[in-house]
Amino acid sequence: ETGVTQSPTHLIKTRGQQVTLRCSSQSGHNTVSWYQQALGQGPQFIFQYYREEENGRGNFPPRFSGLQFPNYSSELNVNALELDDSALYLCASSSPRVRANGYTFGSGTRLTVV
Amino acid sequence: DAKTTQPTSMDCAEGRAANLPCNHSTISGNEYVYWYRQIHSQGPQYIIHGLKNNETNEMASLIITEDRKSSTLILPHATLRDTAVYYCIVRALNYGGATNKLIFGTGTLLAVQP
């Protein structure tokens, strides 16, 4: 089975720009979550998608948005980038049928905003 | 906010058992204890989880106290590749697809020394 893959692995953007990060979920997983991890901190929950709908959101502003596609892959979009958006963005997939809702994480996208 | 407290860092000699403690004094009856680890520049990796009984798998053992207010993750024979940040998380299981986010703290940095 394939794991969770994220693209790109690294990205540099300028303040004010928009960015789209992509995630392919693990085979058989229909739930995708996104996390932001600042340097030296634990990952922080952004939102989750289940069957193409957002069904949970953390404390992030509306300029963080997402999509989930019929094949369960997902995108994270961030508008009007700020310097503090520089972080590792992690995607995790799961399924209610999987062992105790265990999440499988990708290796992340390192976003640098300058 | 994370519902767990862990030491910031620990050292362990290679080949010896690593015992990582976690306090979760406000855990609810339906919440499980999960452990993940994050090796540098990778996404978090699931290790083990449990409700009230001790658990063991190919990676580690989990010892949960009878009152469930604390637990210990045991890596029986630590290797250099076990050097990572270890996160202890409490969460309820949800099989209905609704959000069941992971709330990460700052974790314990385990440094395995040769």
Side-chain angles (χ1 to χ4, degrees):
Chain A
E1 66 183 15
T2 58
V4 175
T5 57
Q6 294 187 242
S7 62
T9 55
H10 296 81
L11 199 56
I12 299 175
K13 288 286 191 178
T14 303
R15 189 171 48 184
Q17 285 188 313
Q18 178 268 342
V19 68
T20 297
L21 310 182
R22 294 179 174 82
C23 171
S24 293
S25 61
Q26 181 168 317
S27 176
H29 287 187
N30 57 13
T31 302
V32 174
S33 303
W34 286 90
Y35 289 78
Q36 180 196 65
Q37 186 173 23
L39 201 60
Q41 303 296 315
Q44 300 297 307
F45 175 74
I46 302 175
F47 44 56
Q48 176 174 293
Y49 280 82
Y50 173 65
R51 294 183 176 177
E52 302 178 54
E53 292 192 2
E54 184 183 299
N55 73 344
R57 189 177 184 91
N59 188 26
F60 282 81
R63 59 189 186 83
F64 285 78
S65 63
L67 284 172
Q68 187 180 32
F69 301 100
N71 66 354
Y72 305 130
S73 66
S74 177
E75 288 182 353
L76 165 65
N77 298 290
V78 186
N79 294 322
L81 283 167
E82 302 177 358
L83 297 180
D84 285 349
D85 295 333
S86 295
L88 179 68
Y89 288 85
L90 294 160
C91 171
S93 72
S94 181
S95 166
R97 297 186 304 275
V98 169
R99 171 201 66 213
N101 298 127
Y103 285 87
T104 302
F105 282 83
S107 295
T109 294
R110 173 73 61 186
L111 173 66
T112 302
V113 182
V114 297
Chain B
D1 291 342
K3 297 179 66 175
T4 62
T5 56
Q6 301 176 250
T8 303
S9 63
M10 294 181 64
D11 289 343
C12 178
E14 188 177 20
R16 304 297 292 269
N19 297 281
L20 291 90
C22 179
N23 288 319
H24 31 79
S25 58
T26 61
I27 192 170
S28 301
N30 65 338
E31 289 182 316
Y32 287 68
V33 179
Y34 277 74
W35 284 84
Y36 282 76
R37 73 179 182 183
Q38 188 172 24
I39 296 170
H40 183 62
S41 297
Q42 297 182 22
Q45 175 191 23
Y46 166 85
I47 301 173
I48 198 168
H49 76 282
L51 182 63
K52 56 183 178 181
N53 297 319
N54 298 339
E55 302 288 344
T56 296
N57 64 19
E58 65 278 6
M59 290 182 68
S61 295
L62 174 61
I63 309 298
I64 303 174
T65 58
E66 190 169 347
D67 63 8
R68 302 209 323 123
K69 293 185 177 182
S70 65
S71 60
T72 301
L73 178 73
I74 301 172
L75 307 179
H77 305 287
T79 71
L80 298 178
R81 289 177 294 180
D82 292 322
T83 293
V85 177
Y86 287 76
Y87 296 100
C88 171
I89 299 167
V90 297
R91 66 186 282 255
L93 291 183
N94 187 313
Y95 295 98
T99 185
N100 203 232
K101 60 183 180 289
L102 299 172
I103 302 176
F104 290 84
T106 52
T108 296
L109 174 59
L110 174 68
V112 180
Q113 309 291 344

